[in-house]
Each structure stands twice: as C-alpha cells, then as structure tokens.
C-alpha cells in the first residue's frame, strides 16, 4: 500500500497533507513507491547539487562508518573532517586560506546558531563585551532554531514565535524589483546599503556585533542577487562601525551560483561564511561555518575555548559524504557546468517572460526564481490569500515537476515566486520540461 493511502506515525510538516514515499533517486529525478517519476527542478530546497542516487557517495559513507563512525570532538579529530575543512577553505575567498578554520555542523540552522555565538564570544575575547546584537535584513531566512529565527526576516516563519525571539534589528533588503525605497538602480546610490549605516547610527552601534545577510536571497525573495556595489558598501559600513560581516551562503555555497561561494561574484571578504545544503548534496546532514583567520586569532590569543558544541559536529560519516561529493564535483567538472547550465535554463524560461503574470525571472547560475505579479506594469502582487505560488507548484506537479514555492517577497506577506535550483547535472531537455511545466501551470492558474 502506498503512503498516499495510509496513516503515518511521522509528525509530518503538514498533518493534513498526504505525502508520497520517495524510494529512489536517479540524477534529477525522484521516484515514489507507486513508480511515479518527479523532475526535481529545485534540488528539493537547493540541496541536491550532484543529483540523486550517486552510489559512490553511499559507499564512501559506508567505508568511513566501517572504520570509525563516531568519535566525540572533545576527544578526537577525524580524517574526513580535517580533509573536508581544507577543501572548503581552498575554494573560499582568498583571505580564508591562510589560517582560516571550519566548524562543521549538522545543517544550516546550526551553522547560523554557531556563527551568532562565535561572534558574541569573539567580541568577549577582543575585550568588547558590549557587542552582542546581530543585525540582519527583512525578507531573509537564516534557519529555524530560535537564534536563527531571531536574525531571520521571513515574516511568516517568524510570526508564531515572535514573543520568544529577540529583535536585534532588520534593515532593508537589496531588492531592486520591489525597491523598499521606490528608487531605481544605480540612481538610488545604494540606499538599501546605506540603510544599514543609518540603522547603526540610530540604534546604539556599540552593542552590535555583526551584520548577517544572504548575498543572493534564496527562499524568501526567490533568488534575488545583490547589485554591483552593494556588498562593497556593506563591508565598508561594517568596518567603519567595527562589526563583523557574516555571509549566509547556506543555499548559495559550494558552487550553486556559478562561483564556489556567491561572495566571490563581488569580491566580498566576509569574516564568517555559513554554508550547508549542497556541501553534502543531501547525502548527509551537514553544514559549515568558515571562520576568517583574524577571528580565529582572537580565540587563540584569548581563552582558546569556544563555549559551544554539538554532539554530532564534524561527524566523520557526514564529512566523508562531503568529501565524496567534492570528489564527484571535481571528477565530473560540475562546478564549471553551473554557469552554462544556468544559461540553458534561463533560455528555456525566456518565452515565459512575456506572460502577463510573470513579473521577473532572476537569479545567478542554477539558483533562479520566477516571480508572479497581478499587474506587470506596476509589479503589483497578488493578495496573499490567492496562494498563487502554491497553486503554481500544484499545477506543475501535474506535469511531474517539483518546484519550491515562496510567498512574501514584496512585504513579508504579498509576493509569489517559485525557486528553481536543479542539480548541476541538469540536461537541456530537462530544462525544457521545467519550462513546459511552468507554462502549463501559468495557463492553468491564470486561465479564469
Ligand atoms: C539562506 C539559508 N540559511 C539557513 C538555512 C537553514 O538551513 P537548514 O534548513 O539546513 O537548517 C536555510 C534553509 O533553507 C537557508 O536557505
């Protein structure tokens, strides 16, 4: 009996929804227990970079497990963790390479938590105990644990927990399509970046420790990249106020936007980078915090002990999966594939541009978003209740294409988009299937 027709002991994401059971993966495809094949146009949630069902990753994990599956990080290091840390630093922005360190976690939220606490302790080590607030941006997502929620600006995901999370300050996103200042780039002179400066000047910057942001906003804005000059201005403002720059590259890291880290598109040199998702391509739960040498040095010269930790951090089997994924990316030159494959996907989507309800197709590499609007000329969004993004997802599913829908890109409530983040191995004919499913979905949802 398929799980679509029986009850489940799992506490599902949505207790009213029936979920098919995924039993196999093959490249860009997921196969359920009833034999249905789904094209994974979003890499699930921008996770599956190398594709599904790569048996050698499992073999590498089994091999590591047979040697040593677990050794507690209070007592041991492991070879796969050391090796993966070195590999991640080698592709990070240059300043990480001479003395940077990597803290492995079990995912993105833990990476955000770690960065928040690391930043706080850095300022204690640096004898600036007043600094603890982490300023971030509206319409952003940094994870689901309470610390990560406090920096997230995703209104819907924060709302139920609002009384439980501190408000350290959220400034404007960099989002030209719905500019929060109603300005146009470049005449705006980066008003969104200057919003951080204004906020810091007005809100006791001596208590602020860091600014945390996604260089390309994934789930919340639907693949909205920073504009030229933005990250440089942000870095300048942070340096001026003596606070750290934290780039959340949980979604964009490890090649998804066409560079190893999206920061490299603009030469940004963050003090801390968060990554996750693609680092083990979904084969193991893994995240990472990259720490720049000068931050490491403050700990080395100070207490040397980071008061933080997870039982499963730097897990030998998870990091073995990370190494095997890296091997696969390198052996199949998949990093190099992202930019041309992203262009192929964009070309396939191009005919949709003229649809009256397609506001914008945007993104970088294989992280792309399609935003739907009620009125193209004014960019007016649909009301939230219309549930457009979810309806588009459902319609595309009829064509067996999996999309990642999102709502709230305009003001936290209104604004509908779908995120596309297929595996790096996506073929032109699969890009066409995605475009065809979207065309079908547009026709179905907007036919009335
Ligand atoms: C930018 C960003 N940061 C953090 C997270 C949280 O990662 P995780 O779900 O692995 O905890 C996500 C997840 O979607 C993300 O997109």
């Amino acid at each position: 009996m398929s799980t679509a027709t029986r009850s489940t002991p799992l506490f599902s994401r949505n207790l009213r929804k029936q979920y098919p059971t995924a039993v196999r993966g093959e490249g860009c495809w997921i196969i359920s227990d009833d034999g249905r094949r789904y094209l994974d146009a979003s890499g699930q949630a921008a996770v599956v970079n190398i594709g599904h069902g790569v048996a050698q990753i499992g073999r590498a994990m089994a091999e590591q497990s047979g040697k040593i599956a677990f050794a507690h990080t209070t007592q041991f290091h492991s070879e796969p963790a050391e090796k993966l840390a070195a590999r991640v630093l080698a592709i990070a922005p240059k300043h990480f390479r001479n003395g940077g360190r990597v803290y492995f976690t079990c995912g993105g939220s833990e990476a955000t938590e770690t960065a928040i606490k690391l930043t706080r302790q850095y300022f204690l080590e640096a004898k600036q105990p007043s600094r603890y607030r982490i300023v971030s941006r509206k319409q952003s997502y940094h994870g689901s644990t309470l610390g990560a929620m406090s920096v997230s600006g995703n209104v819907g995901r924060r709302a139920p927990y609002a009384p439980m999370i501190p408000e350290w300050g959220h400034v404007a996103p960099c989002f030209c399509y719905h500019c929060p200042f109603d300005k146009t780039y470049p005449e705006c002179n980066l008003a969104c970046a200057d919003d951080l400066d204004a906020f810091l000047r007005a809100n006791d910057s001596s208590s602020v420790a860091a600014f945390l942001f996604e260089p390309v906003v994934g789930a919340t804005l639907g693949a909205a990249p920073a504009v030229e000059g933005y990250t440089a201005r942000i870095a300048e403002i942070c340096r001026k106020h003596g606070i750290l720059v934290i780039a959340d590259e949980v979604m964009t890291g490890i090649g998804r936007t066409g560079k190893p880290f999206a920061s490299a598109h603009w030469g940004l040199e963050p003090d801390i980078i968060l990554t996750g998702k693609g680092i083990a391509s979904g084969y193991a739960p893994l995240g990472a915090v990259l720490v720049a040498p000068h931050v490491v040095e403050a700990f080395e010269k100070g207490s040397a002990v980071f008061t933080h930790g997870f039982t499963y951090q730097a897990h030998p089997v998870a990091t073995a999966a990370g190494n095997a994924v890296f091997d696969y990316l390198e052996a199949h030159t998949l990093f190099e594939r992202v930019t041309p494959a992203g262009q192929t996907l964009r070309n396939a989507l191009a005919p949709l541009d003229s649809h009256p309800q397609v506001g914008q197709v945007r993104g970088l590499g294989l992280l792309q978003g399609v935003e739907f609007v009620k009125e193209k000329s004014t960019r007016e969004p649909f009301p939230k209740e219309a549930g457009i993004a979810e309806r588009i997802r459902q319609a595309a599913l009829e064509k067996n294409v999996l999309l990642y829908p999102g709502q709230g890109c305009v003001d936290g409530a209104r604004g509908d988009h779908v995120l596309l983040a297929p595996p790096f191995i996506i073929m032109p004919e699969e890009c066409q299937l995605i475009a065809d499913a979207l065309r079908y979905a547009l026709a179905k949802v907007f036919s009335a």
Side-chain angles (χ1 to χ4, degrees), residues 235-249:
E236 184 190 313
I237 293 166
C238 290
R239 305 288 173 242
K240 186 174 83 182
H241 289 276
I243 68 176
L244 300 187
V245 178
I246 306 174
D248 181 346
E249 300 228 23

Side-chain angles (χ1 to χ4, degrees), residues 3-26:
T3 43
T5 52
R6 68 170 164 78
S7 66
T8 172
L10 288 174
F11 199 107
S12 323
R13 292 254 181 168
N14 179 341
L15 300 182
R16 292 217 175 84
K17 188 172 154 185
Q18 297 282 355
Y19 295 84
T21 300
V23 291
R24 221 170 60 249
E26 286 171 10

Side-chain angles (χ1 to χ4, degrees), residues 100-124:
R101 301 261 187 146
V102 180
Y103 193 108
F104 287 114
T105 64
C106 296
S109 301
E110 281 188 10
T112 305
E113 293 293 332
T114 300
I116 290 172
K117 291 171 73 179
L118 189 98
T119 301
R120 165 62 180 159
Q121 197 177 330
Y122 165 78
F123 281 108
L124 292 177

Side-chain angles (χ1 to χ4, degrees), residues 45 106-110 112 141-144 157 214 216 218-219 248-252 274 276-277 286 404:
C106 296
S109 301
E110 281 188 10
T112 305
Y141 182 61
H142 303 294
S144 63
R157 294 182 188 181
E214 298 167 79
V216 183
D248 181 346
E249 300 228 23
V250 168
M251 204 173 251
T252 53
L274 317 179
K277 296 193 184 256
L286 189 62
Y404 183 167

Side-chain angles (χ1 to χ4, degrees), residues 89-342:
L89 290 170
I91 60 164
K94 266 207 190 73
H95 66 293
F96 279 92
R97 295 180 203 167
N98 195 8
R101 301 261 187 146
V102 180
Y103 193 108
F104 287 114
T105 64
C106 296
S109 301
E110 281 188 10
T112 305
E113 293 293 332
T114 300
I116 290 172
K117 291 171 73 179
L118 189 98
T119 301
R120 165 62 180 159
Q121 197 177 330
Y122 165 78
F123 281 108
L124 292 177
E125 303 290 356
K127 308 276 182 283
Q128 297 183 51
S130 69
R131 295 196 184 273
Y132 68 95
R133 285 163 57 211
I134 315 287
V135 176
S136 51
R137 300 195 306 192
K138 294 169 190 155
Q139 276 97 281
S140 62
Y141 182 61
H142 303 294
S144 63
T145 49
L146 288 175
M149 288 303 307
S150 63
V151 285
S152 291
N154 185 309
V155 173
R157 294 182 188 181
R158 272 174 73 95
Y161 309 105
M164 302 160 68
I165 48 185
E167 176 53 65
W168 290 322
H170 291 83
V171 300
C174 176
F175 188 27
C176 297
Y177 189 66
H178 296 288
C179 174
F181 305 96
D182 276 331
K183 296 190 182 215
T184 307
Y185 179 81
E187 292 75 39
C188 62
N189 197 21
L190 297 170
C192 52
D194 287 343
D195 195 42
L196 174 63
D197 191 38
F199 178 87
L200 291 171
R201 281 195 274 117
N203 291 280
D204 182 20
S205 69
S206 68
S207 68
V208 176
F211 177 61
L212 190 160
F213 77 111
E214 298 167 79
V216 183
V217 184
T220 320
L221 291 186
V227 293
E228 202 57 49
Y230 175 83
T231 63
R233 179 80 59 87
I234 286 293
E236 184 190 313
I237 293 166
C238 290
R239 305 288 173 242
K240 186 174 83 182
H241 289 276
I243 68 176
L244 300 187
V245 178
I246 306 174
D248 181 346
E249 300 228 23
V250 168
M251 204 173 251
T252 53
I254 323 293
R256 177 147 292 280
T257 67
K259 303 264 188 199
F261 289 92
S263 295
H265 287 288
W266 305 281
L268 175 66
E269 297 188 344
D271 301 294
I272 295 174
I273 296 180
L274 317 179
T275 194
K277 296 193 184 256
I279 189 168
S281 203
Y283 287 82
L286 189 62
V289 181
L290 284 67
V291 189
H294 65 100
V295 179
V296 176
E297 200 183 39
F299 281 78
E300 283 171 339
K301 287 190 174 152
S303 72
V305 179
F306 181 22
T307 311
H308 178 67
F310 302 105
T311 297
Y312 290 127
Q313 71 187 63
H315 193 278
V317 179
T319 49
N323 279 306
V325 165
F326 239 98
D327 291 342
Y328 195 85
L329 286 163
E330 287 171 358
H332 296 83
T333 55
L334 292 186
F335 283 119
E336 294 82 345
R337 235 188 147 255
V338 173
T339 300

